[in-house]
Amino acid sequence: MKFNARKLNDKDYDCLVNWWKWWRWTPIPKNFLPDNGTGGIMIEKENIPIVAGFIYNTNSDAVVVEWIVSNPEYKDKDRKQAIKALLETIEAVCKKQGKKYMFSIGRSKHLMETHKKLGWHVESKSSYELVKVI
């Protein structure tokens, strides 16, 4: 069976928090996420959520693609294909919106390799996320 892509909904947030915790990430507050946690895409297979990511729209020709996280309990060997499907779906959504650039920050070697295979430029020098709560 192939993957299904859908827009995130309010019910997905608790699931994503659990995934972030499992992967030892600090859960992202709902009000930090685009559209209060619904501004992104979920990839599923047979109604099992596999991977999700968020799209921050800007007032430029660019979007920021962030907080990609996968279901740690999903053990099928097609996780990498699901991540690829997520990035391809996000790209299609952004193209449909007339966007020209996608920007992301990453540290996962596997995720960066998938980005490279899909034509993303991956900077060789590492960087850091900087956030200030005001």
Side-chain angles (χ1 to χ4, degrees), residues 7 41 55 57 60-61 63 87-102:
K7 188 170 177 2
I41 303 294
I55 306 166
N57 284 295
S60 70
D61 284 342
V63 299
L87 291 170
E88 290 172 333
T89 300
I90 289 173
E91 182 174 338
V93 166
C94 294
K95 282 182 178 178
K96 190 174 180 180
Q97 294 174 348
K99 298 296 184 174
K100 306 286 185 224
Y101 309 99
M102 297 188 306

Side-chain angles (χ1 to χ4, degrees), residues 3-64:
F3 300 113
N4 176 55
R6 65 169 174 80
K7 188 170 177 2
L8 288 170
N9 61 54
D10 285 323
K11 296 176 186 175
D12 292 318
Y13 182 73
D14 290 337
C15 172
L16 297 176
V17 166
N18 289 329
W19 293 359
W20 284 320
K21 286 179 180 178
W22 193 93
W23 290 108
R24 295 181 182 88
W25 289 12
T26 300
I28 311 307
K30 215 174 185 183
N31 62 354
F32 190 92
L33 298 167
D35 297 328
N36 206 38
T38 63
I41 303 294
M42 174 72 78
I43 300 295
E44 300 176 323
K45 183 176 179 184
E46 298 176 357
N47 295 317
I48 298 171
I50 304 169
V51 64
F54 291 88
I55 306 166
Y56 288 86
N57 284 295
T58 70
N59 62 354
S60 70
D61 284 342
V63 299
V64 178

